[in-house]
Amino acid sequence: MKSSAPRQNGTRPMRGIRRIDLASVQPASSEIARDINRDIILELIRFKQPLARADLSRLSGLRPSTVSKIVEQLVQENWVQEGAVIKAARGRPSTMLSVNSAMVTFALDLRPDRAILAVVDLSGRFLSRETIPTYSDLARTVAQIGKRMRALREEHSTKSFEGVGVSVPGRMHPVTQRVLLAPNMKWHDFDLKSALEEESGLQVEIDNDANVCLISELWYGRLEGVKNVVLVAVAEGVGAAILAGGHMQSGYNGLAGEFGHVSVDPAGPQCQCGQNGCWEMVSSSRAAIRYYNAGSRKKVQNIYELLRQMEDGDALAKEAITEQARALGRGLRMVTATLAPELILVVGDITAAWDLCGPIIEREMAASMLAGDPPQLRAAGDAELARLSGGAAMLMQRHAGYHRSTHERTMPIPA
């Protein structure tokens, strides 16, 4: 009896075999398995330190010999240090393990009007933090940052600096890390990585500010069990980071998540990207300042002044922040309709007024749902701390050889 299945291009479709895209296949290897096991061990030490090798074997399910080899490697590479020896009632004494308190990284948060530089250890503790002025002359800005890095290395001379993790309000090429788009910084295709490496003498890792905030949430274990998340970063602009199926997504060209540059009002004010009425033009901190200054004789220069005005009982300041929250909530339709996350995190200046803004954003988002219940909405806290801790976490994550790459590196490196 002849098959009734249709033919395509003169061939009969094969049953029971799914077509595989060979361009995206990564064969399993012992190296991948070792990377995953290394992930598990370092993660357990970070979250449950101090603990012994026997504890690691019990918690991970790995054989003691496998644990010992991984720990030996982590100790040799200075990620882990051995501490006190604990004598048990039975068996041999156990040497306790913890992350190496002497290993630190620079975290650099670049903003349009300033740079914040911090020294952060493996446990996320801030050993120092300072603000550096930025200039329109990029070479001068980088030179000033390099000068402060050298001074801080002298101040922390007993520490081992692993590198520099940089947060930028723009998008980077996923492989080269060149700045592709940073409208609010007025940079275009600037090789920030090479410039900072030359100044600091350290390896530099760079990513978008929203991405590093999401990495901070992942690194410090605040998203355990959640696989589909969108983090919306609200500052001078609005950007987003995407976790889909447990993997961060940057898109083919590194620009995934730029919801802030989608026009929601073609008749609205012109954005730095050249379009009119982008989402960030109605829902960013700059938008709230614009709303207030349009109706008040007393002008404010930054979001902190506006928030203080609101705390002092200024009704117009409260209305400006409220309108920002409404616009942010309405714009989340783009996120819920395209990505359907289970959780939306908001990080940035607006979280300082979360008691007011949270319910407004949640109400506007719920009213714009295509179908079903809206995702959970949560404030992720202080944006500056998130960007700094995330910058440090990003560098540590990449340099520790984690199997979970920050980006899926599927695109070719341009010539």
Side-chain angles (χ1 to χ4, degrees):
M1 183 173 67
K2 293 183 179 181
S3 170
S4 60
R7 295 173 180 266
Q8 297 179 356
N9 300 323
T11 63
R12 182 174 298 162
M14 299 179 67
R15 296 182 180 276
I17 300 177
R18 184 171 63 86
R19 182 179 179 275
I20 298 174
D21 181 1
L22 296 177
S24 62
V25 166
Q26 182 179 16
S29 67
S30 57
E31 287 79 9
I32 292 175
R34 283 197 295 269
D35 278 349
I36 294 173
N37 290 341
R38 178 184 166 109
D39 286 356
I40 293 168
I41 296 302
L42 186 53
E43 199 91 315
L44 284 169
I45 295 172
R46 284 180 53 240
F47 284 107
K48 296 182 178 294
Q49 61 183 324
L51 72 174
R53 288 168 174 80
D55 298 323
L56 288 171
S57 180
R58 174 177 53 82
L59 292 169
S60 67
L62 297 172
R63 291 179 297 184
S65 59
T66 300
V67 169
S68 293
K69 289 179 181 178
I70 294 172
V71 168
E72 182 180 355
Q73 184 183 45
L74 291 172
V75 170
Q76 288 177 350
E77 295 175 8
N78 291 324
W79 293 103
V80 170
Q81 63 184 7
E82 295 182 319
V85 176
I86 305 298
K87 294 182 179 180
R90 297 179 181 178
R92 292 184 294 179
S94 298
T95 301
M96 305 307 288
L97 302 166
S98 60
V99 294
N100 185 5
S101 59
M103 180 179 283
V104 297
T105 180
F106 281 120
L108 179 64
D109 176 24
L110 287 174
R111 314 308 302 164
D113 58 347
R114 66 195 183 282
I116 300 96
L117 180 65
V119 177
V120 188
D121 71 10
L122 268 178
S123 297
R125 291 187 293 263
F126 285 76
L127 306 185
S128 66
R129 182 170 57 169
E130 60 183 67
T131 300
I132 302 169
T134 56
Y135 311 97
S136 56
D137 182 345
L138 292 178
R140 183 184 177 192
T141 296
V142 171
Q144 183 67 17
I145 292 169
K147 179 180 178 181
R148 292 309 307 151
M149 284 181 178
R150 290 188 290 274
L152 286 171
R153 290 185 76 174
E154 290 182 8
E155 291 178 23
H156 299 278
S157 58
T158 61
K159 303 296 183 181
S160 173
F161 283 79
E162 175 65 18
V164 186
V166 185
S167 163
V168 174
R171 293 292 167 173
M172 330 307 299
H173 188 283
V175 179
T176 67
Q177 296 184 65
R178 287 180 70 91
V179 179
L180 297 176
L181 176 71
N184 295 320
M185 300 288 287
K186 296 183 172 59
W187 294 353
H188 179 69
D189 200 24
F190 175 61
D191 192 359
L192 177 64
K193 177 181 170 70
S194 296
L196 284 172
E197 286 182 340
E198 185 175 349
E199 278 290 336
S200 67
L202 296 168
Q203 189 169 342
V204 173
E205 301 286 347
I206 307 176
D207 211 330
N208 167 259
D209 56 355
N211 284 347
V212 302
C213 288
L214 183 53
I215 290 170
S216 176
E217 295 293 306
L218 291 164
W219 180 261
Y220 296 110
R222 293 188 287 267
L223 294 179
E224 187 173 356
V226 184
K227 300 297 184 183
N228 296 282
V229 181
V230 174
L231 182 142
V232 179
V234 184
E236 298 86 2
V238 174
I242 303 166
L243 185 75
H247 297 280
M248 289 189 67
Q249 305 296 323
S250 64
Y252 176 75
N253 58 359
L255 296 176
E258 281 300 324
F259 292 104
H261 291 294
V262 175
S263 178
V264 295
D265 180 9
Q270 187 175 46
C271 181
Q272 296 282 3
C273 73
Q275 299 297 310
N276 289 331
C278 288
W279 186 30
E280 73 173 40
M281 294 305 295
V282 296
S283 60
S284 65
S285 298
R286 286 186 301 144
I289 294 167
R290 189 178 71 250
Y291 297 146
Y292 181 80
N293 287 343
S296 175
R297 292 182 180 180
K298 186 192 317 183
K299 309 301 181 185
V300 296
Q301 301 299 316
N302 56 58
I303 190 64
Y304 308 109
E305 290 181 20
L306 182 60
L307 289 168
R308 281 195 296 270
Q309 289 294 109
M310 187 181 72
E311 289 173 1
D312 290 340
D314 188 326
L316 186 58
K318 181 177 181 180
E319 179 55 33
I321 297 292
T322 298
E323 181 54 35
Q324 178 194 10
R326 291 193 196 105
L328 189 64
R330 289 193 294 267
L332 287 176
R333 178 184 174 91
M334 293 183 288
V335 174
T336 60
T338 56
L339 298 172
E342 55 191 300
L343 171 65
I344 293 178
L345 293 170
V346 178
V347 63
D349 307 320
I350 198 170
T351 62
W354 195 249
D355 287 346
L356 169 68
C357 297
I360 296 171
I361 296 170
E362 193 165 25
R363 184 168 59 249
E364 294 288 343
M365 177 181 66
S368 68
M369 291 293 295
L370 284 175
D373 295 328
Q376 181 185 354
L377 180 71
R378 195 169 76 208
D382 183 274
E384 183 176 304
L385 287 177
R387 291 189 293 260
L388 290 170
S389 62
M394 169 194 61
L395 182 127
M396 296 298 187
Q397 184 190 61
R398 293 177 182 179
H399 287 203
Y402 270 34
H403 176 68
R404 297 182 311 280
S405 175
T406 302
H407 295 293
E408 296 294 333
R409 299 191 175 188
T410 56
M411 66 182 300
I413 300 176

